[in-house]
Amino acid sequence: MYSVPWVALLAVPFFLLTAKYIYRLLLSPLSCFPGPRFAACSKLFEAYHVLIKNDWLDMLEALHHEHGSVVRIGPNELHFSDHQFCLQHHKRPDLYKCDNYYGILSYLLGGFADPAHHKTRKAILQPLFSGRTLADFSDSGMSAHLDTLVDRLSESSHAVVNTTHNLWAFTTDVMMSYVLGIETGYLKSQDLKAVHDSTRAFSAIDLATVLRSMPPIKMVFDCVPSLRCFSPLGWIDQVIAPSPSEPGLANSWTIANPNQKISNNLKLIKSNSVHEKGQKSVLAMLSQQLPEEHVLIHELAQAVFIGNESLLSNLTVLLHHLIKNPDCIRRIRAELDEIDVGLYGHRIWRDPKVIRLKYLDAVCRESTRMSAPGWHRQPRQVSTLVEHGQYTIPPMTSLSFTLKLLEHDPTLYPEPLKFKPERWLETNPDSAAMKRSSVTFGTGTRTCLGQFIAHQVLRRTVAALVYNFSMTFSDELSDEMGGYTYLNAYPKKSHEGYLKLHFTPRFSP
Ligand code: HEM
């Protein structure tokens, strides 16, 4: 019988791959765009720079420096540094998010490719982020978490405080109670390191990169849904609805209130009356509109995941720059001193006026600008041709830009690496243009749904800490020599850093 020689078997995939790379390199409509050849051939270019060289943002900047405002960074992706073009383009209502970029989240609000699907899901989830839900939460839940934070830091007076551990427990408690209506009580735990280490998702960006640049691995994740427990969202799924074999989440020691039955949480969410007031009724309503249990769980887990890491990194940047700029602290205190403390005493964060203070607002905006993550870009596609300068770009090409590069654009933000809250207080035309161009919370129809809760958490937390404590670095020299690694958002495992401070209470108890 005739047998196919193994060389021929190997030759077929080799030939197909070679043909694919030759097409991408020489014949694709994108072959006229400048950029590395490796990038034109394969998404592994990105994987190499993210996973191995760890220099993705520097590399993007270098490519634009060398090739100009448009660079091909993938077989079907162009990256832009012409920010006005990006902002203009992102106003289109018919933009698709690139599903390969958003990977395993492609059936969730933040990852839907199709604008129509996104619109439908957004309408369902919107009540979770409404002004009413937020107002209810700010008055009770958020204020109570800040009480705990301030009490805890007061007890640590003069000791070195691992502020990253404290802030992580705080932002996680805040997100869990805001999104899920449950009190995890992590900030009351004896062992904040254990809470941090068992719940913070290190290397989330590496996983996302692997999934987007190695399609066979993404296929495995798609085909075997249980692999999600290895993703950064796995532990949050378990808090919402642990598997029957693991009732109550493995690390139930972190739950402050032993009577709380977290394992029943999903049942609680579903059974709460739609007519009741407040957070639980919103969740009950969501569970009716998203009857597929796993979709509901994953949507809620995604909101918690996006929220706690971004709040942690923003608060870390805030504290870092405030301590380095004592004059900012003086100005915030001067504003807070104008508020009548008769109402709330030192618990000044409870006063709604706090979120309207102009200088405090400028400080928070500046820190959000400076904490934009370097790894995140905004790839979008449209089904029509796009004209840009001398180029006509084919339909469904991924066009992307990186938030951090825009937020550090010196034409919009002179001295972009400098912490200058004053830039947000100016009223001239340049500053109006700067405010219009701010993209820290995303672009177009896909802007951040959590920005109003983020707005409140940041302002109230800064007010609480600045008003009640004098803060100093515990070892600034070694932080500086280590490259301030605590400023890394969504860090890789073993690349994380810890902000270590002294908190000295300003008032006697
Ligand atoms: C300082 C804090 C925050 C920053 C800087 C931030 C930034 C962003 C950005 C840039 C996007 C767009 C991502 C993209 O298009 O690829 C986004 C989307 C989103 N964010 Fe935030 N975020 C913050 C806090 C939060 C919080 C606290 C929550 C949850 C309570 C949240 C929930 C969401 C959701 C659900 C989306 C997807 C929205 C959609 O696609 O319609 N974010 N965020």
Side-chain angles (χ1 to χ4, degrees):
M1 199 174 81
Y2 177 76
S3 67
V4 182
W6 63 269
V7 179
L9 280 177
L10 281 182
V12 173
F14 177 78
F15 173 77
L16 289 175
L17 272 181
T18 310
K20 183 165 93 173
Y21 292 141
I22 289 177
Y23 171 79
R24 287 175 171 180
L25 201 54
L26 303 174
L27 305 172
S28 148
L30 298 190
S31 48
C32 58
F33 287 89
R37 286 169 186 219
F38 182 13
C41 289
S42 167
K43 299 281 286 179
L44 290 174
F45 170 78
E46 179 178 351
Y48 172 68
H49 283 281
V50 175
L51 304 175
I52 297 170
K53 289 201 78 184
N54 202 15
D55 68 348
W56 177 250
L57 190 67
D58 295 342
M59 196 270 320
L60 271 183
E61 281 188 295
L63 286 178
H64 280 297
H65 191 69
E66 185 183 345
H67 299 293
S69 72
V70 192
V71 178
R72 187 177 182 193
I73 59 166
N76 187 38
E77 183 168 353
L78 301 175
H79 190 272
F80 291 79
S81 64
D82 176 348
H83 296 132
Q84 290 314 320
F85 165 73
C86 295
L87 291 178
Q88 219 37 51
H89 184 65
H90 276 235
K91 286 189 183 147
R92 288 180 64 146
D94 55 347
L95 291 180
Y96 285 74
K97 270 192 172 179
C98 300
D99 54 359
N100 104 319
Y101 185 82
Y102 290 91
I104 50 171
L105 307 178
S106 56
Y107 59 99
L108 301 178
L109 179 76
F112 269 129
D114 184 339
H117 288 152
H118 172 259
K119 202 171 165 192
T120 313
R121 182 65 60 81
K122 188 172 172 180
I124 295 174
L125 289 170
Q126 191 89 54
L128 190 57
F129 301 95
S130 72
R132 162 78 190 281
T133 311
L134 179 55
D136 286 349
F137 178 70
S138 302
D139 291 345
S140 52
M142 190 193 311
S143 292
H145 292 303
L146 279 165
D147 289 350
T148 311
L149 180 65
V150 169
D151 290 347
R152 179 143 197 161
L153 294 176
S154 303
E155 284 159 19
S156 319
S157 164
H158 306 301
V160 175
V161 174
N162 186 320
T163 311
T164 305
H165 287 164
N166 279 265
L167 289 180
W168 175 253
F170 168 69
T171 59
T172 307
D173 283 345
V174 167
M175 278 297 100
M176 288 293 197
S177 61
Y178 178 72
V179 176
L180 298 164
I182 57 170
E183 298 308 326
T184 33
Y186 289 163
L187 193 53
K188 290 182 180 162
S189 163
Q190 290 297 311
D191 191 349
L192 291 182
K193 177 180 182 319
V195 169
H196 173 269
D197 293 353
S198 63
T199 54
R200 193 163 173 208
F202 292 114
S203 305
I205 305 315
D206 284 359
L207 176 66
T209 307
V210 167
L211 293 173
R212 77 174 69 116
S213 52
M214 300 173 200
I217 299 185
K218 161 96 168 41
M219 272 164 62
V220 174
F221 262 77
D222 288 344
C223 296
V224 188
S226 57
L227 283 180
R228 190 178 142 102
C229 67
F230 296 107
S231 87
L233 301 157
W235 75 271
I236 312 176
D237 294 355
Q238 281 203 16
V239 173
I240 306 171
S243 68
S245 58
E246 281 181 281
L249 184 66
N251 54 357
S252 53
W253 45 264
T254 51
I255 310 304
N257 175 2
N259 296 323
Q260 176 139 29
K261 295 270 184 286
I262 286 209
S263 53
N264 286 333
N265 195 49
L266 191 67
K267 278 188 228 145
L268 271 177
I269 289 173
K270 289 189 160 186
S271 64
N272 268 300
S273 157
V274 209
H275 305 295
E276 272 179 45
K277 284 184 181 169
Q279 178 71 347
K280 284 181 182 151
S281 65
V282 172
L283 292 173
M285 189 177 74
L286 292 187
S287 79
Q288 287 179 351
Q289 298 199 22
L290 292 175
E292 274 184 286
E293 191 169 295
H294 78 278
V295 176
L296 175 66
I297 294 172
H298 294 179
E299 280 292 6
L300 299 175
Q302 192 200 14
V304 171
F305 171 69
I306 301 179
N308 55 3
E309 185 73 41
S310 52
L311 287 174
L312 171 71
S313 62
N314 202 145
L315 285 169
T316 306
V317 169
L318 255 167
L319 292 184
H320 170 88
H321 286 292
L322 286 180
I323 298 172
K324 282 193 160 287
N325 294 277
D327 194 46
C328 294
I329 294 198
R330 270 193 291 278
R331 290 187 67 175
I332 295 173
R333 284 192 186 137
E335 270 190 339
L336 291 171
D337 286 342
E338 300 273 300
I339 292 180
D340 176 9
V341 289
L343 277 178
Y344 300 99
H346 298 156
R347 309 219 172 250
I348 200 157
W349 58 88
R350 290 182 172 259
D351 195 314
K353 288 199 251 345
V354 159
I355 52 166
R356 292 194 290 273
L357 297 175
K358 286 207 165 75
Y359 188 74
L360 177 60
D361 179 67
V363 163
C364 292
R365 280 171 189 260
E366 182 69 344
S367 71
T368 311
R369 177 185 78 79
M370 295 192 79
S371 59
W375 50 266
H376 187 58
R377 58 185 193 274
Q378 308 268 294
R380 303 284 192 268
Q381 298 168 318
V382 271
S383 56
T384 56
L385 289 171
V386 176
E387 302 288 342
H388 176 62
Q390 84 232 47
Y391 297 116
T392 300
I393 303 166
M396 298 314 274
T397 303
S398 295
L399 309 185
S400 67
F401 75 101
T402 296
L403 296 174
K404 186 159 194 109
L405 295 183
L406 176 51
E407 297 294 23
H408 282 185
D409 181 348
T411 53
L412 286 171
Y413 307 96
E415 297 184 281
L417 298 179
K418 227 173 163 182
F419 183 73
K420 279 177 49 177
E422 293 70 23
R423 66 173 99 235
W424 298 98
L425 297 171
E426 289 164 15
T427 50
N428 55 42
D430 282 353
S431 115
M434 177 193 87
K435 286 174 196 155
R436 270 199 313 276
S437 307
S438 173
V439 291
T440 36
F441 287 106
T443 47
T445 53
R446 311 299 290 254
T447 48
C448 175
L449 274 181
Q451 58 187 291
F452 303 108
I453 166 91
H455 189 89
Q456 295 240 0
V457 172
L458 297 177
R459 281 145 189 81
R460 289 182 194 267
T461 309
V462 175
L465 298 183
V466 166
Y467 192 76
N468 284 284
F469 300 100
S470 298
M471 297 173 282
T472 48
F473 293 109
S474 84
D475 188 351
E476 192 176 358
L477 189 63
S478 82
D479 288 344
E480 189 177 354
M481 282 168 46
Y484 298 115
T485 43
Y486 54 76
L487 294 173
N488 292 343
Y490 296 86
K492 288 173 191 280
K493 183 80 194 144
S494 77
H495 282 69
E496 76 275 19
Y498 297 95
L499 176 63
K500 295 191 179 162
L501 302 177
H502 288 286
F503 288 85
T504 311
R506 296 179 66 222
F507 307 103
S508 44

